[in-house]
Amino acid sequence: MSSESGSSYTSSRRGSFEDGRNGVKENLGESSKAPFKYLPKHLFGSIEYPGPISHPTSILKVVHQQDINECFNASTSTSDPNQGGQNVNNRPILEMRYRGLDDVVGNPVKGHRVPSQKLLLKITKRRKKGKEKDEGVFTSEVLGSIPQTVRFRSMADFQWTPDPNGPIANLADSLRSLDYNAILDYSFPPLDEEFTEPHENSFDPKIKFRSKLDLQPAPLFSSRNLPYSYNYKIPNQVVVEPFFDKRTQTWRRRYVNKGRVAGVGPINVLHNHKPGEIPREPTSQVKNKIGELDARILKKLSDLFEERPVWMRSSLFARFTHEERKEMQRVKAYIPTVAYIMGTGPFSKCLVKFGYDPCADRDSYRYQRIYFYPNKKTVKTPINVDPLDSEDENENDPTENKQKGWWIEKQEQLIAKGDRPPLDPIKSHTFDGQYLYRERGDYQFCDVTDPFISKYINDTDKMKSKCSIQTGWYTTSSFKLIRNLIRTKYMYIWENHRPAPDNVCRQIIEDYEKGDHDQEEEDEDDDEEGQQVEGEGEEDNQDDQEINAGADEEVRGDDQDD
């Protein structure tokens, strides 16, 4: 019921309900009706004291009345100048001192004022005289509502009791009262060699001494609320990893946190960057960790980026040994010492050498990245389906669902029969049109070694003069052709588990050759795409929208895999 409407209510024990405002009555059976009463409009504040209390006024022993008034009268929204004067929600604080208001040494425990929906109920008990048992008549009355409540959910802070007459206590009193002369005249007394003295402890009789060191009060221990209840569950980023214990000469298991270390991740650069925004050296946090890294791995990383300025993480790790990969995965500062990462565009999620801009070098076309989902509908008709269309799977069709991990199991069966070579992790980032070495279509053009597709990848005569965010250095039709060819052969191998012949791409080549692919028109379309990226609001054609959708799926799929 609302405390402002003045509406009435009635209770029922056997199912009848009556609204006192309009007199509507619904009879759900015979019952005795209780009289309805108006809800008072009085508002009260509530303080949930975390301990036993005999009378409400006892709260004034640990909290000042002025602090209570300020807490309940404070506004919950204030303007923050750091955020342009916008209103920022805050929770008023009430500080409480367990050991009394005069205790200036102990740190207070903080409570927060929060909204509540409670009623203040007064219970009156009338006892009959001469009765030994606690019997009588009980009546209840609603006095008002409680819209605000102060709750103490913070941890009890560390308490320290120094000598009230010691020099440290005198200095603290001088600082609180701003006694300028007392502060200037203060000097630390010589240390007494007697550090303890006999003392009886009423809480623990075994403790018979106490310290004579006149130390300053302990600093603030914690202002955090109650700790989270983890229920002894291991975080998601922690995995079990086997390791060889040299001391016992046995293999053991340990928990390893795979979460990224803050401050040492690669620098992220977007495709639509300015020429001067390409980083040329690592950050200061990464530079401070170079001395802790393996110099041999750093040298090998530097040589690989001199050999090839743009790498995918999978192709880069394929050039290292198993132990070196484990070290680079354990210590996240190796890669950020030599490379940054492209966040969007045709080089999305690729590691790029410091100082090199693939969006300004036309020869970087060979390092462009292509990614697609090997979903069910393209398995059924890999040639007739446009590879740049959206790839939402039909989860309602049970005939198209396959159990997770089926591809790996199928390859193991083929390997056992001798129908295909073993899965080589060193070749997992390459595509030769013969066999697949991993369960995802994610390649750089330079790692596509199929001769039939490579001639279209290396056809530099039909490239653009500007790198676009959708198709890179290729025209829309050329990029669409290459993507169709790779996907068609990929899906043929995926479904049939044998090398893909070139004739499966015959229809794609015929459709491409029938089309009109004028170089100047492609450049004009690319200029329009770049203007829309900058926010001028021009519309792209249908092909550009399809490519953009494919690029978005590319980023989402790669994030899930990472």
Side-chain angles (χ1 to χ4, degrees), residues 276-300:
E277 294 179 352
I278 293 297
R280 299 185 177 277
E281 60 181 9
T283 60
S284 58
Q285 293 89 341
V286 175
K287 289 181 179 179
N288 295 334
K289 294 184 175 293
I290 292 180
E292 305 174 4
L293 306 179
D294 190 336
R296 182 178 55 84
I297 297 180
L298 285 178
K299 179 64 168 56
K300 190 173 182 179

Side-chain angles (χ1 to χ4, degrees), residues 77-89:
S77 62
T78 57
S79 59
D80 189 355
N82 297 328
Q83 299 186 11
Q86 297 180 357
N87 290 336
V88 180
N89 293 331

Side-chain angles (χ1 to χ4, degrees), residues 35 57 167 362 417 543:
T57 57
R362 191 177 181 183
K417 296 179 181 179
D543 289 340

Side-chain angles (χ1 to χ4, degrees), residues 10-11 27 47 52 66 75 138 141 154 170 191 229 263 265 285 321 331 382 393 443 450 464 470 519 524 547:
T10 180
S11 62
N27 189 6
I47 300 176
Q66 182 180 358
S75 175
F138 294 85
E141 179 185 2
S154 298
N170 295 333
L191 186 63
S229 178
Q285 293 89 341
T321 63
V331 182
E393 298 181 2
Y443 305 104
D450 187 335
K464 298 181 295 186
Q470 289 88 5
Q519 180 73 21
E524 291 177 0
I547 294 172

Side-chain angles (χ1 to χ4, degrees), residues 388-407:
L388 300 183
D389 288 341
S390 178
E391 299 182 351
D392 295 333
E393 298 181 2
N394 184 12
E395 298 179 356
N396 299 325
D397 189 357
T399 61
E400 293 187 357
N401 293 330
K402 293 184 178 180
Q403 188 176 4
K404 185 178 180 180
W406 71 271
W407 187 84

Side-chain angles (χ1 to χ4, degrees), residues 139-151:
T139 59
S140 62
E141 179 185 2
V142 178
L143 300 182
S145 60
I146 304 176
Q148 301 289 340
T149 300
V150 175
R151 292 173 178 168

Side-chain angles (χ1 to χ4, degrees), residues 348-417:
S348 173
K349 306 301 179 184
C350 289
L351 302 171
V352 186
K353 183 181 70 171
F354 282 128
Y356 181 75
D357 187 2
C359 300
D361 184 10
R362 191 177 181 183
D363 292 337
S364 64
Y365 70 89
R366 67 190 71 178
Y367 306 126
Q368 288 185 207
R369 175 173 173 260
I370 185 171
Y371 178 82
F372 50 85
Y373 288 98
N375 57 21
K376 277 72 179 175
K377 63 183 181 182
T378 52
V379 169
K380 297 174 64 177
T381 55
I383 299 178
N384 299 330
V385 175
D386 191 341
L388 300 183
D389 288 341
S390 178
E391 299 182 351
D392 295 333
E393 298 181 2
N394 184 12
E395 298 179 356
N396 299 325
D397 189 357
T399 61
E400 293 187 357
N401 293 330
K402 293 184 178 180
Q403 188 176 4
K404 185 178 180 180
W406 71 271
W407 187 84
I408 298 294
E409 296 180 359
K410 181 63 177 179
Q411 305 311 306
E412 293 177 352
Q413 296 174 4
L414 295 174
I415 295 171
K417 296 179 181 179

Side-chain angles (χ1 to χ4, degrees), residues 67 70-78 87-95 110-116 148-154 223-226 228:
D67 296 339
E70 293 178 354
C71 179
F72 281 100
N73 294 331
S75 175
T76 56
S77 62
T78 57
N87 290 336
V88 180
N89 293 331
N90 62 346
R91 296 189 301 172
I93 296 175
L94 182 63
E95 293 186 347
K110 297 180 180 180
H112 296 276
R113 195 192 78 189
V114 296
S116 60
Q148 301 289 340
T149 300
V150 175
R151 292 173 178 168
F152 292 89
R153 295 291 186 268
S154 298
S223 60
R224 184 181 294 274
N225 292 341
L226 289 178
Y228 298 104

